[in-house]
Amino acid sequence: MRWFLLLVACSLVPALAQPAKEIPVASARAAPADVCAGGTAEANLNIGGVRARLYNEGNLFWRGAGSHYEVPRGSGKNAVFSASLWIGGTVDGDLRFAGSVYGPWEFWPGPLDASGQTTAERCADLDRIWTVTTDDLDRYRQTGEATPDLAEWPIAWGAPFFVDFDGDGRQGTAEEITRSLDLGDPGYGTRVIDLAAGERPVVFGRQTAWWVMNDRGGEHRWSETEPLGVEVRVTAWTLGDPADESLYTSTFYRYDVINRSEATIEDAQLAMYVDGDLGDFNDDFVHADSTRQMLVFYNGDAEDEGPNGYGIPPALGIDLLSGGYGAMYFTGGGTGPTVDPNGSQHAYQYMRSLWRDGLPLREGGDGYNTLGPIIRWAFPGSPPEYWSEYNVDGNGIANTPADRRAVVSGTPFALGPGERQSFDVGVLFAQGIDRFDSVDRLRAVSDEAQARYEDGRLFRQVETPPPPAEAPRLIAPADGASFEESGVTFSWATVAGATGYVLELDTLASFQGPQRYPTPRTTVDVPRDSFPNNTPRPTYWRVLAENASVLSPPSDIRTLTNILVRPTLTSITVVANASGPISPHPGALASQGFPTVDLDGDGQDDNPVAGVQQTNGTQWLFATGNSGAFDGSYASFLNRTLLNRTGGVNLSTYDFEVRFTGTSFAFRRFQDEEVVEIPFEIWNIGSGTPDDASDDYRLIPAILDYTYDGTVAGNTANTDGVYGFYAADSPVSPLDDDPVTDWIYWYNPIDTSPGQDGYLAYANGGTPELSQVGEEVIGRTTFVGWNFGVAPPYPADVPEPGTVFRITTLKRFNVTGEGPAEAPAGAGLQLAVGPNPASDVVSVWYGMPSSGEIQLAVYDVLGREVAVLAAGPLAAGEHVAPLETASLSAGVYVVVLASGVERTTRTITVIR
């Protein structure tokens, strides 16, 4: 029998570090309603040296966001981006195919019945991945407690199991054979695992995941062929043995393919499409080790750079343990015979080591249409030897490192009705002293995996290792430390016998639901936006040592306070235009610090997303780009535009303006870097100094350029080069007559000195230099034409020249717009509140220039005292106190700071 598995390596890199990874837009055709909904299940292999995300739609490690093959586990480095199972063959001479590159996926949850069909109910019921560990088996033997996946192990649908006759929880004796039910067997489709009678899941290594899927649950929209009628049972596992250094950072996969149709599938092949990104995705090479039948990704230069790079380059192998036919590589987007496949015909060609146009792979150069011999394995030479990407001509000429994709395929076969074909694959990892040494070490790992595969040790259970004997000794930060608008570095002492550590943060000392940060190191940097609590309430933290996921007792508990000033806007106003500003506009109110919109005429603000402002007879809103995450609310507006931006601290300090000057320029940073003319400039105008131009500096605008019909902007071809409206109505309105402009992203230049020097350093000289771009301070903003109509012609394409939109942000001692932005030296009582409005905890900043007696209290609108936040002697300087609003009714409250005869107040609005 043959087994197959494949994997891929990659990591998405933030847009500021390098261009975003381009993912091709899949073709699609009109299709009838699917029988089944797409699979939603996911699980992790996370015992041992890898954290790998699993899905049940034919794809691994990626499903629309981020890459999830972290190795070493806890390092933050991903070696795999995306992989997708392909099955191709002919039925009566017609090509049939199941697979995809980045979706739409062509496998659905659950098995097929005797007629080769499925139902929506069966798909929904089996939309699941079951995961069991040897730790789960030990716990059940010792306590009788079973995890849901152990208690519901799906033997009714073919999941392997055995009877534990000797009661040790391990499959070892000759009579403890593996059993698996199939169509026609008693109990198929109905049996429940009987733990009390000794039935146990078959667990390979220390952790095994199992699921079943089929290709008949819906329309094949990517391949555009009829389904094959196959059922696929998948087993994924990790050995998880810390004493096993060679395979500790590897994972393994088995695909068991069953033909449930009435026709023989001729010339069938199984393969995996691989987007092989190793750390930094822009500098990879591929190598096909034909002697080991292993596809290898390694670095094309001496260092794997970037924030997601490995530094010293490792190597990743996709090892066909049961044997393979060939491996093809191809480049990314574009046109021609050597790029990504577009549909089943191209994919099937690649599976047979043919280019998209049917020409065979040949040795030499790039492998396309050369004079070399026909070959099935791309770049089989051991780098830096010929024929490798490091030496494509025998004279040391190398390819240019780049984003590499590939397919590795098994040997062709025929699959008759009811027959099955299986493939085993290992995803292997090694890191040496340089990129070539990493490839050499990977070969040794492959040889070890192959030896264990052939003698059966790869499928044996692995004993649970002992936990580290000692709890970690905490080093920093000190107990009770306080931080503000910054990340925190946690550190602790090394523990003997530990393969890694887990930092836990929680708002409760009981650690009932902590945030966990696994790491192989003795330090963790937690960004300011990642804390479970960004108020003056304490955050509790502790550390546990682990030995391959077996944990030590926890360390002592420490507390810290990390106060984050969340970016909040206090106003968006038109401060200048040809006719002069009209603020607030009739129908727009200005409560909660925002000019907002009364959509239904009841006198209440319905939508505090942005301000409706009038410019020369037209009305505009400042909002965010349409997306599934934007529902028209103020919270989702803030989340998409301000929160989680790298420039979040700046937004707590500075104000900004959009100045419509008639002609300016932006760049399509997420598309093709081309310059696009826009009618406005964007500026940082300082901190509370709107009339002082000496501290203003110009920012770098980027746009996501849509065609008018709203075509997906990620495809370079779908741009029109014109800034303006596209066919989408903003969620800020319940009607469909408020069109949205192209999206704007705001970046600081590296040089933020007053004026335009930083902007011009980016804009001048032809091709913009990304090295001149700093942090993103505001993301995905748009202008909305209020009541402009459902289609052009609109009253205006953009606000007229001379219009200036001013965005004012929260300041420490100027939250409500009262007093100076920064309290001057020698000032009296200082008081600020934020966020405002609030629904949870409010931070109240207060202070005075010299020590003295104070009282800080909160009153409702009737003058009743509802809380005392501080009372008694106070040292000079700034202090902060939390105001818990959970017990307060919605409404307006007054915060009063008093010292002697001096008194200052701020209002806070509580919302529900």
Side-chain angles (χ1 to χ4, degrees), residues 746-757:
W746 306 40
Y747 292 93
N748 271 333
I750 293 296
D751 178 3
T752 57
S753 59
Q756 303 189 64
D757 289 348

Side-chain angles (χ1 to χ4, degrees), residues 287-609:
H287 158 54
D289 187 335
S290 58
T291 62
R292 292 174 175 81
Q293 300 178 331
M294 177 173 64
L295 177 66
V296 177
F297 291 90
Y298 69 105
N299 228 56
D301 53 26
E303 181 181 1
D304 192 40
E305 305 90 350
N308 294 326
Y310 280 93
I312 297 175
L316 183 91
I318 297 88
D319 194 352
L320 275 62
L321 297 170
S322 55
Y325 176 82
M328 284 286 282
Y329 87 104
F330 22 89
T331 56
T335 59
T338 64
V339 301
D340 276 319
N342 184 14
S344 58
Q345 187 63 46
H346 296 154
Y348 193 57
Q349 299 277 58
Y350 278 136
M351 292 166 70
R352 295 181 292 162
S353 295
L354 304 175
W355 296 105
R356 282 180 25 153
D357 59 5
L359 289 180
L361 174 70
R362 289 182 178 271
E363 183 180 289
D366 64 359
Y368 177 74
N369 202 22
T370 68
L371 300 179
I374 294 175
I375 194 170
R376 294 204 304 263
W377 297 84
F379 302 116
S382 177
E385 299 171 1
Y386 180 78
W387 178 51
S388 68
E389 286 211 75
Y390 194 85
N391 185 351
V392 298
D393 65 347
N395 295 311
I397 298 299
N399 280 339
T400 300
D403 185 9
R404 289 287 185 262
R405 291 95 183 259
V407 62
V408 60
S409 54
T411 303
F413 58 95
L415 194 66
E419 294 181 347
R420 63 183 64 199
Q421 185 83 1
S422 301
F423 292 81
D424 287 346
V425 175
V427 181
L428 316 178
F429 180 87
Q431 188 169 24
I433 61 175
D434 59 39
R435 53 181 168 155
F436 300 131
D437 184 52
S438 294
V439 175
D440 290 341
R441 296 190 185 200
L442 185 68
R443 293 192 183 101
V445 174
S446 172
D447 292 343
E448 179 65 21
Q450 189 71 42
R452 298 193 197 184
Y453 173 77
E454 292 174 359
D455 66 19
R457 287 178 295 153
L458 195 64
F459 306 99
R460 293 177 183 171
Q461 290 184 18
V462 173
E463 295 300 319
T464 302
E470 299 179 359
R473 178 176 57 83
L474 304 184
I475 297 176
D479 193 26
S482 180
F483 299 85
E484 192 169 306
E485 295 186 351
S486 65
V488 178
T489 298
F490 297 86
S491 64
W492 51 90
T494 301
V495 173
T499 60
Y501 304 88
V502 180
L503 167 69
E504 293 188 336
L505 303 178
D506 205 337
T507 57
L508 300 173
S510 58
F511 288 89
Q512 295 178 0
Q515 291 180 187
R516 291 185 170 92
Y517 298 84
T519 176
R521 299 180 293 273
T522 56
T523 61
V524 168
D525 294 323
V526 179
R528 61 177 180 267
D529 287 341
S530 297
F531 278 82
N533 171 28
N534 288 300
T535 75
R537 293 180 297 186
T539 294
Y540 300 90
W541 69 280
R542 67 184 185 185
V543 179
L544 300 87
E546 65 155 305
N547 183 20
S549 300
V550 181
L551 298 174
S552 73
S555 69
D556 294 337
I557 298 173
R558 289 186 179 181
T559 63
L560 63 85
T561 302
N562 188 64
I563 305 165
L564 174 66
V565 180
R566 305 289 281 182
T568 303
L569 305 186
T570 56
S571 66
I572 304 173
T573 56
V574 172
V575 296
N577 63 29
S579 301
I582 302 176
S583 178
H585 181 269
L589 306 178
S591 66
Q592 302 180 0
F594 263 78
T596 58
V597 184
D598 178 10
L599 296 174
D600 54 15
D602 65 355
Q604 300 296 316
D605 293 342
D606 296 314
N607 201 331
V609 171

